[in-house]
Amino acid sequence: MFDAVRNNKRVAQVVLALISITFAFWGVESYLNDRATAGEVASVGGTKITMGEFQRALREQQDRMRAQSDQPIDSSTFQSPLFKRAVLDNTINQRVLALYAAESGLAVPDELLRQTIAGIPAFQEDGQFSMERYERAVRSQGMTVQGFQERLRADLANQQVIDAVSGGVIVPTSVASRFLETQLEERTVHMVQFNAEDYKQKVSVDEAELKAYYDENISEFSVPARLKAAYVVLTPEAIKAQISISDEELQAAYDARKAALEVPEERKASHILIEVPAGASDEQVAAAKARAQGLLDKLKADPASFAALAKAESDDPGSKSDGGNLGFFGRGAMLPEFEDAVFSAKAPGLIPEIVKTEFGFHVIQLDEIRAASTPGFADSKDRIRDELVEEAAGRRFAEVAEQFANMVYEQPDSLAPVAESFGLEIKTTSEWIVADDTKVGDFESAALVKALFSDDVFNDKHNTDAIDLGDNRLIAARVAEEEPAHQRSFDEAKTEIEKLVRTRKAAALAVQEGEEKLAKLQAGDAVELDWGADFTIQRGVPSLPPILMQPIFAADAQKLPAYTGVAMSGAGYALFRVDAVKAAEVTKDDERIKAIQEQYGQMLGNQDLRAFLNALRSKYDVKINAAALAEGES
């Protein structure tokens, strides 16, 4: 029962869309209330999206993207006007959905909210909901439990609207079946290639041709400027290293947080569920109750048989294999009726009455009571020290970042002063960097590369400004070694140019011959060709490059053999003979049809949702303050 709730895919999808490692939420009041903050970026139905809200949404989306990416994300991505407009559009969409949900009277029951929170992995410990982790995680983001719950309730209401709009698309079986048949079609093909390499000996080039190519494509032979960079990076670790916490501060923080450190009472229980399906008749309910009562009577006579009986009789697939074990849980994790029975028991043992919930009847055994406790100062001080250092570093980052930025600007001839002041190591790249690169050392930053190649840095040998890498990291660099751009002369590039021109002319000859052969074959003339062995390909399995797949399946298969061909850029020509076409036989019960219906339905549902959101944006009179948005992008 409870495991089924925790593993519900729809709930998981909703929550994953709302939660990131950094708890990417802004309060529900930002949906429905006007704020007095200056800098209105947009208005929706008379409510405002302030500059503060917009900047917060930008930061939260950046955090989500970084958390989901296996590779570092170039900070310049987040400075893109397209990125910022996408975040604003998403914020507007959330607002219009919230307004529509409120106007339509959509409500989220307390029980659904409770089940959703209990199922969030971030709030669980050893697979069980932990009230301590829940409250600590919410507090760590500067939110109250009530504020978090109201935000989640609003988002679940929005999801009701989304599901109603995008979840009802039905794709006819005939459409999915026809698409599947098309993708499964197979064609047996012979191929002849006219390779450019084979025509090079037929090509002649002279000095004038080579010089003309050089003059017409002179930019191809320029060598860009390149450099190696020295750099320093200010990280949260560097800031934390400068922070010390005294024992007196630790004791004061412990005293202030002592109540919050308390671990509430938890209880471990096992159960046997006799499920009652939704809409069950009175007879079915009575039968389930009688079955549960019979099991309870057996257990009263032999309490030690609880685990074996749970494995044999329980209808809860998530716990029956473990003898009905639900593990430890605190108040608020289970359904009220179940929870009241467990927490009202005075001592471990069989609970003498069956308990009814919306899922059916439960026979419950209280296994263990873990009393509420508060860890002592000695056990808590290391964690409190880490928390205080983290908080202090967060508060000091803006101040330290400004000092770092000022120092690299005010002392532009060296990185040594800033490195010494902040205890940083000056590193130098081993690889050469050109202006089109986006990486300096281990860091992705197109903005930093651009700064390194600016006149002030590349020519005048100054430091770059401090560049934001995200995640509270700043980097500054300077040129350690450079080579200016220069133009290769015709004589230097002559051998390379000859290869290019010869290959290009050879490829043209190969294409010409291939097209001539194809024209004769299509006219019905006999043409001697070495077709080689046949092979079979399927439309939905790209076993050849798309440039080759397309003409093969575009060839008219009404009269076989069918001939087609395609020029391969710089490589020659490919000529195909389609000898056989095998149509797929798809039965009505083919499982793949259902998968295609779901995927196609999802695509159509997304289209419907976009249309619905556009309609809502018109209904609620969305206005964007272009000037304020541009200010936010600066």
Side-chain angles (χ1 to χ4, degrees), residues 473-529:
R473 298 174 303 162
L474 291 177
I475 189 170
R478 61 183 293 105
V479 175
E481 185 178 350
E482 84 281 356
E483 287 185 359
H486 63 278
Q487 184 72 40
R488 294 167 64 194
S489 68
F490 171 70
D491 289 337
E492 290 175 319
K494 183 177 178 180
T495 300
E496 179 183 332
I497 295 171
E498 183 176 356
K499 290 180 180 179
L500 289 170
V501 172
R502 189 176 295 277
T503 298
R504 192 172 288 189
K505 293 178 74 174
L509 285 179
V511 171
Q512 178 182 341
E513 183 166 353
E515 290 178 341
E516 289 173 354
K517 301 293 188 187
L518 175 60
K520 290 181 179 180
L521 289 167
Q522 290 177 336
D525 297 342
V527 179
E528 289 294 329
L529 291 171

Side-chain angles (χ1 to χ4, degrees), residues 487-595:
Q487 184 72 40
R488 294 167 64 194
S489 68
F490 171 70
D491 289 337
E492 290 175 319
K494 183 177 178 180
T495 300
E496 179 183 332
I497 295 171
E498 183 176 356
K499 290 180 180 179
L500 289 170
V501 172
R502 189 176 295 277
T503 298
R504 192 172 288 189
K505 293 178 74 174
L509 285 179
V511 171
Q512 178 182 341
E513 183 166 353
E515 290 178 341
E516 289 173 354
K517 301 293 188 187
L518 175 60
K520 290 181 179 180
L521 289 167
Q522 290 177 336
D525 297 342
V527 179
E528 289 294 329
L529 291 171
D530 183 11
W531 288 102
D534 65 349
F535 58 93
T536 300
I537 58 175
Q538 189 180 97
R539 187 190 296 269
V541 181
S543 53
L544 294 176
I547 192 175
L548 303 182
M549 294 284 287
Q550 194 278 331
I552 292 173
F553 284 95
D556 185 359
Q558 297 300 314
K559 183 180 178 181
L560 298 177
Y563 299 96
T564 187
V566 62
M568 299 180 293
S569 178
Y573 192 83
L575 184 60
F576 299 102
R577 187 182 79 203
V578 180
D579 292 312
V581 175
K582 182 181 178 182
E585 295 182 4
V586 177
T587 60
K588 293 182 179 179
D589 58 352
D590 193 310
E591 294 181 356
R592 292 171 293 185
I593 293 177
K594 184 177 180 182

Side-chain angles (χ1 to χ4, degrees), residues 352-507:
E353 302 292 337
I354 59 174
V355 174
K356 186 178 187 305
T357 69
E358 63 186 77
F359 293 98
F361 294 95
H362 306 260
V363 179
I364 307 172
Q365 176 178 275
L366 175 59
D367 299 318
E368 190 177 341
I369 298 175
R370 185 185 286 166
S373 63
T374 302
F377 175 70
D379 295 328
S380 304
K381 66 178 185 179
D382 288 342
R383 185 175 72 174
I384 292 175
R385 177 182 285 106
D386 291 342
E387 291 175 355
L388 292 179
V389 169
E390 193 78 33
E391 292 169 3
R395 290 192 301 269
R396 289 190 60 187
F397 179 76
E399 173 188 348
V400 174
E402 183 176 1
Q403 294 172 358
F404 178 89
N406 288 342
M407 190 170 292
V408 296
Y409 176 77
E410 292 169 357
Q411 301 184 54
D413 297 327
S414 175
L415 293 173
V418 73
E420 182 178 353
S421 178
F422 292 94
L424 306 176
E425 178 185 359
I426 300 176
K427 296 183 177 181
T428 303
T429 61
S430 58
E431 302 293 331
W432 288 99
I433 302 168
V434 298
D436 291 338
D437 289 337
T438 60
K439 195 171 184 179
V440 175
D442 295 329
F443 302 99
E444 287 283 343
S445 178
L448 180 59
V449 174
K450 182 179 180 180
L452 282 166
F453 281 93
S454 66
D455 287 341
D456 184 50
V457 177
F458 189 83
N459 295 325
D460 298 339
K461 303 300 182 289
H462 288 163
N463 298 335
T464 68
D465 289 339
I467 304 292
D468 184 6
L469 293 172
D471 293 334
N472 290 344
R473 298 174 303 162
L474 291 177
I475 189 170
R478 61 183 293 105
V479 175
E481 185 178 350
E482 84 281 356
E483 287 185 359
H486 63 278
Q487 184 72 40
R488 294 167 64 194
S489 68
F490 171 70
D491 289 337
E492 290 175 319
K494 183 177 178 180
T495 300
E496 179 183 332
I497 295 171
E498 183 176 356
K499 290 180 180 179
L500 289 170
V501 172
R502 189 176 295 277
T503 298
R504 192 172 288 189
K505 293 178 74 174

Side-chain angles (χ1 to χ4, degrees), residues 59-329:
R59 291 194 300 272
E60 289 161 351
Q61 182 60 24
Q62 292 172 16
D63 289 338
R64 281 194 291 273
M65 290 174 64
R66 289 189 177 106
Q68 294 167 3
S69 176
D70 294 332
Q71 301 294 328
I73 298 178
D74 185 354
S75 59
S76 65
T77 300
F78 302 133
Q79 304 305 316
S80 163
L82 290 176
F83 171 78
K84 295 182 178 182
R85 181 55 188 265
V87 171
L88 178 59
D89 282 339
N90 183 63
T91 306
I92 291 170
N93 288 341
Q94 294 292 332
R95 181 70 61 86
V96 298
L97 284 170
L99 291 172
Y100 180 82
E103 184 180 282
S104 303
L106 295 179
V108 174
D110 291 342
E111 186 55 38
L112 175 58
L113 186 66
R114 186 198 310 268
Q115 293 171 353
T116 302
I117 292 173
I120 296 174
F123 303 153
Q124 295 177 353
E125 189 169 350
D126 297 328
Q128 303 293 325
F129 175 77
S130 168
M131 181 63 72
E132 179 189 4
R133 290 192 67 173
Y134 170 47
E135 293 178 344
R136 186 171 66 244
V138 172
R139 284 199 310 270
S140 71
Q141 299 304 313
M143 299 178 65
T144 65
V145 169
Q146 182 64 30
F148 170 80
Q149 291 176 352
E150 290 305 311
R151 173 67 179 88
L152 181 56
R153 190 188 299 273
D155 286 312
L156 289 172
N158 281 6
Q159 191 63 39
Q160 292 183 38
V161 180
I162 292 172
D163 288 345
V165 174
S166 63
V169 177
I170 298 176
V171 177
T173 301
S174 59
V175 173
S177 179
R178 177 57 185 150
F179 177 81
L180 179 59
E181 289 173 353
T182 301
Q183 293 302 299
L184 295 178
E185 177 190 309
E186 294 180 350
R187 295 195 170 194
T188 301
V189 182
H190 286 79
M191 179 174 70
V192 174
Q193 287 184 269
F194 299 86
N195 296 312
E197 192 68 27
D198 298 333
Y199 292 80
K200 283 187 176 180
Q201 299 306 316
K202 301 178 182 181
V203 171
S204 62
V205 294
D206 56 35
E207 184 92 358
E209 281 183 286
L210 302 183
K211 187 63 169 63
Y213 184 93
Y214 176 83
D215 293 339
E216 292 169 4
N217 302 277
I218 194 168
S219 62
E220 293 182 14
F221 306 102
S222 61
V223 179
R226 63 180 189 168
L227 59 84
K228 292 183 179 180
Y231 61 93
V232 291
V233 183
L234 180 67
T235 64
E237 289 69 31
I239 298 175
K240 291 174 186 177
Q242 302 177 24
I243 298 171
S244 61
I245 307 295
S246 68
D247 289 341
E248 291 76 12
E249 289 175 297
L250 286 174
Q251 183 66 56
Y254 174 78
D255 294 339
R257 303 180 185 199
K258 192 172 183 180
L261 293 172
E262 180 182 6
V263 179
E265 178 185 322
E266 292 184 321
R267 296 196 169 198
K268 180 182 180 184
S270 301
H271 81 137
I272 300 172
L273 168 66
I274 305 303
E275 190 174 24
V276 176
S281 64
D282 292 342
E283 291 79 6
Q284 288 175 303
V285 173
K289 183 177 183 181
R291 181 182 166 203
Q293 186 63 52
L295 294 173
L296 179 61
D297 293 340
K298 284 184 181 181
L299 290 168
K300 286 179 178 178
D302 183 14
S305 66
F306 191 98
L309 206 57
K311 290 179 180 179
E313 301 290 345
S314 180
D315 292 330
D316 179 12
S319 66
K320 69 178 296 181
S321 63
D322 194 23
N325 179 26
L326 294 171
F328 280 97
F329 54 87

